[in-house]
Amino acid sequence: MKFFEDDSQNLRARLAAVQIIALVLLAVLGGRLYFLQIVRGSYYAERAENQRIRLLPIPAPRGVIMDRYGRVIVDSRPIYNVILSREDVQGKDLSALIEPLSRGLKIDADILRERFEQMRTMPAFESVRIKENATPADIAWVEAHKLEFPELRVEQQPQRQYPPNGLLAHVVGYVGEISPKQLEDPKYKEKGYKPGDIIGQEGVEAIYDEYLRGRDGYRRVVVDSRGHIRAVLEEVPPQPGQDMVLTIDLDLQRKAEEQLAQMPSKRGVIIAMDPNSGEILAMASYPTFDPNLFSQRITTREGRAEYAALLRDPQHPLYNRAIRGRYPPGSTWKIPMAVAGLEQGAITVEHSRLLCGGGIQIGNKFTRCMGNHGTPDLRTAIMKSCDGYFYRLGLKMGIEGIMRMVDEFEINKRTGVDLPHELRSWTPSPEFKARFNPRDPQWKEIDTVYASFGQVYEFVTPLALLRAIAAIGVGGKLYTPHLLKEFKPVREMGPFPARPAKTFDHPEPKIVPIRPEHHKLVVDGMWAVVNDAGTAARIRMAGFDIAGKTGTAQVVSLGKDVGKNKDHSWFVSYAPAYKPEVAVLALIENVGFGASYAAPAVRAVYDVYYEKTRGEPPPQQVALKR
């Protein structure tokens, strides 16, 4: 086809068209070069450099957790993980990797999908763990498929190792991979956490994570196009986390857990504490669980099934009953009531007798005592656990006096223990009744009777109760219960500065005013509970006088308290009675009288303490040998 009759004109037109097309192509090429070299130059330079030089992290081990005598409780062991580099799969269809990796490495496909979804939000050049605790077969599979999957590599990393049989599980807690929800929390963002980081999730692992965590090192390496390391340019070793010394005594802890495991209900709490400092020597909550699930097995199908079973378990093994269980305190409530009655002037040392009467009649309601104790003095009322006495003491104090007692001993506050998720106790007040019983919200005299013996309007945590009773033992000093004794220092390593030693920041104890004569009278009553004709005489230790109080807390009304609805069994104590060194509490769920189960469990813990501190068998054992 000709545009012009003259061939020369046609030639010139074609040349012009070619020139225009060439100019357009040059313009497009120039624009693309400008975009690649100027606009995105730094990005592609970084990518090109990354193909040659990479930073491979060297994970730091967490600090060791020890008991007060330096015995290791929690440590880390080296394991191998299969790692996938996000940079190496840029532009690839990750879904195509699921089937071969799932089959070859025996990983649940759903877990791989979660990992790959997580990778979408990760910054460039980060890596993600595909499989933890890789077996020799897994490592061999990765090596055999280097050409097919060059994005995979095997790295050694530390893995948390917890004691067997759930020992101390509710105290030490566990570690786990940071969750997407946690990554959105400002407190984690500020600390620079990133997807895939292992952090403390429960217990002291969570509370003291920043001290237990180490500082990761790295290797700067030269790699080829297939990701093989050709040279190491630089290596910065990691700085380990700080070793932690707990206040826990493993011998007392083991005995406490052994006692709980032997109980008919296999549910309860035992706590031992130094009343002169708040140091927790043992904290056992039963049933327990295996924290290794969260550090070693949670990313497997079997591990997730195990976790789901824990969540469904009606015995609530994940639940730390010491700080999250709320129970009616029963007759253990009488001890702070006795102190408050004396301090408020409702009774005096000289005139402490009140009628028992076998109970009390308020309107058309008769609330009975478990016996008829005549007109006992305070010492006898504590020793015999006379309900009728304390009904009348409560009426003399009034609800305002009972509420003042609760405030004085901070029973309605968190204790401040260094564990997550501590709950407040529920304590009597007109406001609590209005919430508790909206059909009959007005506070009445009968409610004051109920509030005086630890059964209707009180639901206390075991640790809050032990703190209050221990404070009475040492004359009114309310210490903050705690588990941290110290963190060991870590020396400077490479770019990481030294980390100094740290001890627990002891707040000054709150002082509850207790006059010496009042203190002696109450302690005399608690001494008599064990050492005279009291409700716990069977656990008496000659030469190591225990001061204590039993408690039997009803779960349901009389007549229905059988089987799973049996009463809770309490015993709270300290020893020696007049110069306390240790305070011990036991709460055993649904087993009956406090003297039958809780008191003997506490005695077993005292036996271990006595032998450790006195260097000889406890008195009862000596008597048996003779």
PDB file of all heavy atoms in Angstrom, residues 507-533:
ATOM      1  N   PRO A 507       8.922  -3.310  99.115  1.00  0.00           N
ATOM      2  CA  PRO A 507       8.211  -2.156  99.673  1.00  0.00           C
ATOM      3  C   PRO A 507       8.137  -2.305 101.194  1.00  0.00           C
ATOM      4  O   PRO A 507       8.178  -3.417 101.724  1.00  0.00           O
ATOM      5  CB  PRO A 507       6.816  -2.255  99.037  1.00  0.00           C
ATOM      6  CG  PRO A 507       6.658  -3.679  98.649  1.00  0.00           C
ATOM      7  CD  PRO A 507       8.029  -4.236  98.394  1.00  0.00           C
ATOM      8  N   GLU A 508       8.053  -1.200 101.876  1.00  0.00           N
ATOM      9  CA  GLU A 508       7.922  -1.257 103.328  1.00  0.00           C
ATOM     10  C   GLU A 508       6.619  -1.967 103.691  1.00  0.00           C
ATOM     11  O   GLU A 508       5.587  -1.729 103.071  1.00  0.00           O
ATOM     12  CB  GLU A 508       7.932   0.155 103.926  1.00  0.00           C
ATOM     13  CG  GLU A 508       9.290   0.823 103.907  1.00  0.00           C
ATOM     14  CD  GLU A 508      10.309   0.055 104.745  1.00  0.00           C
ATOM     15  OE1 GLU A 508       9.973  -0.317 105.892  1.00  0.00           O
ATOM     16  OE2 GLU A 508      11.423  -0.186 104.242  1.00  0.00           O
ATOM     17  N   PRO A 509       6.647  -2.858 104.689  1.00  0.00           N
ATOM     18  CA  PRO A 509       5.406  -3.542 105.059  1.00  0.00           C
ATOM     19  C   PRO A 509       4.386  -2.566 105.638  1.00  0.00           C
ATOM     20  O   PRO A 509       4.747  -1.599 106.310  1.00  0.00           O
ATOM     21  CB  PRO A 509       5.870  -4.548 106.117  1.00  0.00           C
ATOM     22  CG  PRO A 509       7.104  -3.945 106.708  1.00  0.00           C
ATOM     23  CD  PRO A 509       7.778  -3.214 105.568  1.00  0.00           C
ATOM     24  N   LYS A 510       3.142  -2.825 105.354  1.00  0.00           N
ATOM     25  CA  LYS A 510       2.089  -2.050 105.999  1.00  0.00           C
ATOM     26  C   LYS A 510       1.980  -2.512 107.455  1.00  0.00           C
ATOM     27  O   LYS A 510       2.016  -3.711 107.726  1.00  0.00           O
ATOM     28  CB  LYS A 510       0.754  -2.245 105.294  1.00  0.00           C
ATOM     29  CG  LYS A 510      -0.371  -1.488 105.979  1.00  0.00           C
ATOM     30  CD  LYS A 510      -1.730  -1.746 105.367  1.00  0.00           C
ATOM     31  CE  LYS A 510      -2.803  -1.012 106.186  1.00  0.00           C
ATOM     32  NZ  LYS A 510      -4.160  -1.237 105.646  1.00  0.00           N
ATOM     33  N   ILE A 511       1.845  -1.568 108.359  1.00  0.00           N
ATOM     34  CA  ILE A 511       1.752  -1.899 109.776  1.00  0.00           C
ATOM     35  C   ILE A 511       0.289  -1.866 110.204  1.00  0.00           C
ATOM     36  O   ILE A 511      -0.386  -0.835 110.075  1.00  0.00           O
ATOM     37  CB  ILE A 511       2.576  -0.925 110.648  1.00  0.00           C
ATOM     38  CG1 ILE A 511       4.040  -0.884 110.166  1.00  0.00           C
ATOM     39  CG2 ILE A 511       2.482  -1.327 112.117  1.00  0.00           C
ATOM     40  CD1 ILE A 511       4.759  -2.212 110.219  1.00  0.00           C
ATOM     41  N   VAL A 512      -0.202  -2.984 110.670  1.00  0.00           N
ATOM     42  CA  VAL A 512      -1.540  -3.067 111.258  1.00  0.00           C
ATOM     43  C   VAL A 512      -1.361  -2.968 112.768  1.00  0.00           C
ATOM     44  O   VAL A 512      -0.736  -3.846 113.378  1.00  0.00           O
ATOM     45  CB  VAL A 512      -2.227  -4.397 110.892  1.00  0.00           C
ATOM     46  CG1 VAL A 512      -3.607  -4.473 111.531  1.00  0.00           C
ATOM     47  CG2 VAL A 512      -2.323  -4.552 109.384  1.00  0.00           C
ATOM     48  N   PRO A 513      -1.873  -1.904 113.401  1.00  0.00           N
ATOM     49  CA  PRO A 513      -1.651  -1.746 114.846  1.00  0.00           C
ATOM     50  C   PRO A 513      -2.291  -2.893 115.643  1.00  0.00           C
ATOM     51  O   PRO A 513      -3.491  -3.128 115.549  1.00  0.00           O
ATOM     52  CB  PRO A 513      -2.335  -0.409 115.165  1.00  0.00           C
ATOM     53  CG  PRO A 513      -2.492   0.283 113.850  1.00  0.00           C
ATOM     54  CD  PRO A 513      -2.648  -0.792 112.835  1.00  0.00           C
ATOM     55  N   ILE A 514      -1.462  -3.633 116.360  1.00  0.00           N
ATOM     56  CA  ILE A 514      -1.942  -4.689 117.259  1.00  0.00           C
ATOM     57  C   ILE A 514      -1.203  -4.520 118.587  1.00  0.00           C
ATOM     58  O   ILE A 514       0.033  -4.661 118.627  1.00  0.00           O
ATOM     59  CB  ILE A 514      -1.684  -6.107 116.692  1.00  0.00           C
ATOM     60  CG1 ILE A 514      -2.284  -6.267 115.291  1.00  0.00           C
ATOM     61  CG2 ILE A 514      -2.258  -7.164 117.633  1.00  0.00           C
ATOM     62  CD1 ILE A 514      -1.983  -7.620 114.648  1.00  0.00           C
ATOM     63  N   ARG A 515      -1.925  -4.220 119.636  1.00  0.00           N
ATOM     64  CA  ARG A 515      -1.279  -4.060 120.941  1.00  0.00           C
ATOM     65  C   ARG A 515      -0.727  -5.404 121.428  1.00  0.00           C
ATOM     66  O   ARG A 515      -1.326  -6.449 121.168  1.00  0.00           O
ATOM     67  CB  ARG A 515      -2.268  -3.489 121.952  1.00  0.00           C
ATOM     68  CG  ARG A 515      -2.396  -1.961 121.828  1.00  0.00           C
ATOM     69  CD  ARG A 515      -3.519  -1.424 122.655  1.00  0.00           C
ATOM     70  NE  ARG A 515      -4.776  -1.476 121.913  1.00  0.00           N
ATOM     71  CZ  ARG A 515      -5.911  -0.947 122.337  1.00  0.00           C
ATOM     72  NH1 ARG A 515      -5.962  -0.337 123.519  1.00  0.00           N
ATOM     73  NH2 ARG A 515      -6.997  -1.027 121.598  1.00  0.00           N
ATOM     74  N   PRO A 516       0.413  -5.380 122.117  1.00  0.00           N
ATOM     75  CA  PRO A 516       1.061  -6.634 122.533  1.00  0.00           C
ATOM     76  C   PRO A 516       0.143  -7.573 123.301  1.00  0.00           C
ATOM     77  O   PRO A 516       0.171  -8.787 123.085  1.00  0.00           O
ATOM     78  CB  PRO A 516       2.235  -6.153 123.401  1.00  0.00           C
ATOM     79  CG  PRO A 516       2.534  -4.777 122.896  1.00  0.00           C
ATOM     80  CD  PRO A 516       1.219  -4.199 122.478  1.00  0.00           C
ATOM     81  N   GLU A 517      -0.683  -7.016 124.194  1.00  0.00           N
ATOM     82  CA  GLU A 517      -1.564  -7.888 124.972  1.00  0.00           C
ATOM     83  C   GLU A 517      -2.642  -8.537 124.101  1.00  0.00           C
ATOM     84  O   GLU A 517      -3.074  -9.669 124.343  1.00  0.00           O
ATOM     85  CB  GLU A 517      -2.208  -7.124 126.134  1.00  0.00           C
ATOM     86  CG  GLU A 517      -3.076  -5.938 125.743  1.00  0.00           C
ATOM     87  CD  GLU A 517      -2.324  -4.619 125.592  1.00  0.00           C
ATOM     88  OE1 GLU A 517      -1.096  -4.673 125.327  1.00  0.00           O
ATOM     89  OE2 GLU A 517      -2.964  -3.560 125.736  1.00  0.00           O
ATOM     90  N   HIS A 518      -3.075  -7.805 123.058  1.00  0.00           N
ATOM     91  CA  HIS A 518      -4.045  -8.370 122.121  1.00  0.00           C
ATOM     92  C   HIS A 518      -3.395  -9.460 121.271  1.00  0.00           C
ATOM     93  O   HIS A 518      -3.985 -10.513 121.013  1.00  0.00           O
ATOM     94  CB  HIS A 518      -4.620  -7.276 121.220  1.00  0.00           C
ATOM     95  CG  HIS A 518      -5.420  -6.259 121.959  1.00  0.00           C
ATOM     96  ND1 HIS A 518      -5.790  -5.047 121.410  1.00  0.00           N
ATOM     97  CD2 HIS A 518      -5.937  -6.268 123.222  1.00  0.00           C
ATOM     98  CE1 HIS A 518      -6.485  -4.360 122.288  1.00  0.00           C
ATOM     99  NE2 HIS A 518      -6.583  -5.070 123.402  1.00  0.00           N
ATOM    100  N   HIS A 519      -2.181  -9.173 120.837  1.00  0.00           N
ATOM    101  CA  HIS A 519      -1.438 -10.140 120.038  1.00  0.00           C
ATOM    102  C   HIS A 519      -1.247 -11.438 120.813  1.00  0.00           C
ATOM    103  O   HIS A 519      -1.497 -12.540 120.290  1.00  0.00           O
ATOM    104  CB  HIS A 519      -0.079  -9.542 119.645  1.00  0.00           C
ATOM    105  CG  HIS A 519       0.802 -10.472 118.878  1.00  0.00           C
ATOM    106  ND1 HIS A 519       1.872 -11.134 119.464  1.00  0.00           N
ATOM    107  CD2 HIS A 519       0.774 -10.894 117.593  1.00  0.00           C
ATOM    108  CE1 HIS A 519       2.470 -11.883 118.562  1.00  0.00           C
ATOM    109  NE2 HIS A 519       1.828 -11.767 117.417  1.00  0.00           N
ATOM    110  N   LYS A 520      -0.846 -11.322 122.081  1.00  0.00           N
ATOM    111  CA  LYS A 520      -0.596 -12.525 122.886  1.00  0.00           C
ATOM    112  C   LYS A 520      -1.868 -13.348 123.073  1.00  0.00           C
ATOM    113  O   LYS A 520      -1.834 -14.588 122.960  1.00  0.00           O
ATOM    114  CB  LYS A 520      -0.025 -12.139 124.249  1.00  0.00           C
ATOM    115  CG  LYS A 520       0.327 -13.357 125.107  1.00  0.00           C
ATOM    116  CD  LYS A 520       0.924 -12.960 126.436  1.00  0.00           C
ATOM    117  CE  LYS A 520       1.374 -14.208 127.208  1.00  0.00           C
ATOM    118  NZ  LYS A 520       0.306 -15.218 127.386  1.00  0.00           N
ATOM    119  N   LEU A 521      -2.991 -12.684 123.316  1.00  0.00           N
ATOM    120  CA  LEU A 521      -4.230 -13.421 123.546  1.00  0.00           C
ATOM    121  C   LEU A 521      -4.647 -14.214 122.294  1.00  0.00           C
ATOM    122  O   LEU A 521      -5.038 -15.383 122.383  1.00  0.00           O
ATOM    123  CB  LEU A 521      -5.349 -12.462 123.961  1.00  0.00           C
ATOM    124  CG  LEU A 521      -6.721 -13.094 124.236  1.00  0.00           C
ATOM    125  CD1 LEU A 521      -6.624 -14.217 125.263  1.00  0.00           C
ATOM    126  CD2 LEU A 521      -7.714 -12.032 124.693  1.00  0.00           C
ATOM    127  N   VAL A 522      -4.543 -13.589 121.124  1.00  0.00           N
ATOM    128  CA  VAL A 522      -4.932 -14.274 119.899  1.00  0.00           C
ATOM    129  C   VAL A 522      -3.967 -15.417 119.597  1.00  0.00           C
ATOM    130  O   VAL A 522      -4.388 -16.524 119.226  1.00  0.00           O
ATOM    131  CB  VAL A 522      -5.013 -13.280 118.718  1.00  0.00           C
ATOM    132  CG1 VAL A 522      -5.249 -14.022 117.399  1.00  0.00           C
ATOM    133  CG2 VAL A 522      -6.128 -12.265 118.953  1.00  0.00           C
ATOM    134  N   VAL A 523      -2.664 -15.166 119.769  1.00  0.00           N
ATOM    135  CA  VAL A 523      -1.691 -16.227 119.522  1.00  0.00           C
ATOM    136  C   VAL A 523      -1.879 -17.368 120.517  1.00  0.00           C
ATOM    137  O   VAL A 523      -1.752 -18.560 120.157  1.00  0.00           O
ATOM    138  CB  VAL A 523      -0.250 -15.681 119.574  1.00  0.00           C
ATOM    139  CG1 VAL A 523       0.766 -16.817 119.440  1.00  0.00           C
ATOM    140  CG2 VAL A 523      -0.036 -14.654 118.476  1.00  0.00           C
ATOM    141  N   ASP A 524      -2.227 -17.042 121.783  1.00  0.00           N
ATOM    142  CA  ASP A 524      -2.517 -18.100 122.756  1.00  0.00           C
ATOM    143  C   ASP A 524      -3.647 -19.005 122.266  1.00  0.00           C
ATOM    144  O   ASP A 524      -3.592 -20.231 122.407  1.00  0.00           O
ATOM    145  CB  ASP A 524      -2.922 -17.489 124.111  1.00  0.00           C
ATOM    146  CG  ASP A 524      -1.736 -16.938 124.894  1.00  0.00           C
ATOM    147  OD1 ASP A 524      -0.579 -17.213 124.501  1.00  0.00           O
ATOM    148  OD2 ASP A 524      -1.962 -16.219 125.898  1.00  0.00           O
ATOM    149  N   GLY A 525      -4.684 -18.381 121.676  1.00  0.00           N
ATOM    150  CA  GLY A 525      -5.793 -19.167 121.146  1.00  0.00           C
ATOM    151  C   GLY A 525      -5.364 -20.047 119.984  1.00  0.00           C
ATOM    152  O   GLY A 525      -5.748 -21.222 119.900  1.00  0.00           O
ATOM    153  N   MET A 526      -4.552 -19.500 119.082  1.00  0.00           N
ATOM    154  CA  MET A 526      -4.067 -20.284 117.945  1.00  0.00           C
ATOM    155  C   MET A 526      -3.110 -21.379 118.399  1.00  0.00           C
ATOM    156  O   MET A 526      -3.104 -22.484 117.828  1.00  0.00           O
ATOM    157  CB  MET A 526      -3.387 -19.357 116.931  1.00  0.00           C
ATOM    158  CG  MET A 526      -4.327 -18.360 116.262  1.00  0.00           C
ATOM    159  SD  MET A 526      -3.484 -17.289 115.062  1.00  0.00           S
ATOM    160  CE  MET A 526      -3.086 -18.464 113.766  1.00  0.00           C
ATOM    161  N   TRP A 527      -2.315 -21.090 119.409  1.00  0.00           N
ATOM    162  CA  TRP A 527      -1.433 -22.122 119.985  1.00  0.00           C
ATOM    163  C   TRP A 527      -2.255 -23.274 120.534  1.00  0.00           C
ATOM    164  O   TRP A 527      -1.937 -24.454 120.325  1.00  0.00           O
ATOM    165  CB  TRP A 527      -0.570 -21.496 121.081  1.00  0.00           C
ATOM    166  CG  TRP A 527       0.333 -22.469 121.794  1.00  0.00           C
ATOM    167  CD1 TRP A 527       1.609 -22.789 121.458  1.00  0.00           C
ATOM    168  CD2 TRP A 527       0.018 -23.249 122.950  1.00  0.00           C
ATOM    169  NE1 TRP A 527       2.122 -23.729 122.336  1.00  0.00           N
ATOM    170  CE2 TRP A 527       1.150 -24.020 123.270  1.00  0.00           C
ATOM    171  CE3 TRP A 527      -1.113 -23.363 123.767  1.00  0.00           C
ATOM    172  CZ2 TRP A 527       1.189 -24.898 124.341  1.00  0.00           C
ATOM    173  CZ3 TRP A 527      -1.085 -24.242 124.852  1.00  0.00           C
ATOM    174  CH2 TRP A 527       0.055 -25.000 125.122  1.00  0.00           C
ATOM    175  N   ALA A 528      -3.359 -22.927 121.203  1.00  0.00           N
ATOM    176  CA  ALA A 528      -4.199 -23.950 121.826  1.00  0.00           C
ATOM    177  C   ALA A 528      -4.900 -24.830 120.797  1.00  0.00           C
ATOM    178  O   ALA A 528      -5.204 -25.993 121.070  1.00  0.00           O
ATOM    179  CB  ALA A 528      -5.234 -23.282 122.738  1.00  0.00           C
ATOM    180  N   VAL A 529      -5.167 -24.291 119.604  1.00  0.00           N
ATOM    181  CA  VAL A 529      -5.791 -25.088 118.537  1.00  0.00           C
ATOM    182  C   VAL A 529      -4.984 -26.347 118.253  1.00  0.00           C
ATOM    183  O   VAL A 529      -5.538 -27.428 118.011  1.00  0.00           O
ATOM    184  CB  VAL A 529      -5.939 -24.244 117.252  1.00  0.00           C
ATOM    185  CG1 VAL A 529      -6.284 -25.118 116.054  1.00  0.00           C
ATOM    186  CG2 VAL A 529      -6.994 -23.159 117.438  1.00  0.00           C
ATOM    187  N   VAL A 530      -3.651 -26.223 118.343  1.00  0.00           N
ATOM    188  CA  VAL A 530      -2.771 -27.348 118.010  1.00  0.00           C
ATOM    189  C   VAL A 530      -2.204 -28.009 119.255  1.00  0.00           C
ATOM    190  O   VAL A 530      -2.049 -29.238 119.305  1.00  0.00           O
ATOM    191  CB  VAL A 530      -1.621 -26.873 117.094  1.00  0.00           C
ATOM    192  CG1 VAL A 530      -0.686 -28.030 116.737  1.00  0.00           C
ATOM    193  CG2 VAL A 530      -2.160 -26.219 115.834  1.00  0.00           C
ATOM    194  N   ASN A 531      -1.902 -27.228 120.288  1.00  0.00           N
ATOM    195  CA  ASN A 531      -1.115 -27.731 121.408  1.00  0.00           C
ATOM    196  C   ASN A 531      -1.901 -27.978 122.683  1.00  0.00           C
ATOM    197  O   ASN A 531      -1.347 -28.450 123.675  1.00  0.00           O
ATOM    198  CB  ASN A 531       0.027 -26.747 121.697  1.00  0.00           C
ATOM    199  CG  ASN A 531       0.948 -26.582 120.501  1.00  0.00           C
ATOM    200  OD1 ASN A 531       1.803 -27.430 120.251  1.00  0.00           O
ATOM    201  ND2 ASN A 531       0.761 -25.511 119.739  1.00  0.00           N
ATOM    202  N   ASP A 532      -3.195 -27.659 122.672  1.00  0.00           N
ATOM    203  CA  ASP A 532      -4.035 -27.925 123.830  1.00  0.00           C
ATOM    204  C   ASP A 532      -5.128 -28.905 123.382  1.00  0.00           C
ATOM    205  O   ASP A 532      -4.830 -29.894 122.724  1.00  0.00           O
ATOM    206  CB  ASP A 532      -4.612 -26.614 124.368  1.00  0.00           C
ATOM    207  CG  ASP A 532      -5.132 -26.736 125.803  1.00  0.00           C
ATOM    208  OD1 ASP A 532      -5.324 -27.872 126.263  1.00  0.00           O
ATOM    209  OD2 ASP A 532      -5.372 -25.697 126.448  1.00  0.00           O
ATOM    210  N   ALA A 533      -6.355 -28.598 123.647  1.00  0.00           N
ATOM    211  CA  ALA A 533      -7.456 -29.505 123.277  1.00  0.00           C
ATOM    212  C   ALA A 533      -8.206 -28.962 122.071  1.00  0.00           C
ATOM    213  O   ALA A 533      -9.420 -29.109 121.971  1.00  0.00           O
ATOM    214  CB  ALA A 533      -8.389 -29.695 124.471  1.00  0.00           C
TER     215      ALA A 533
END
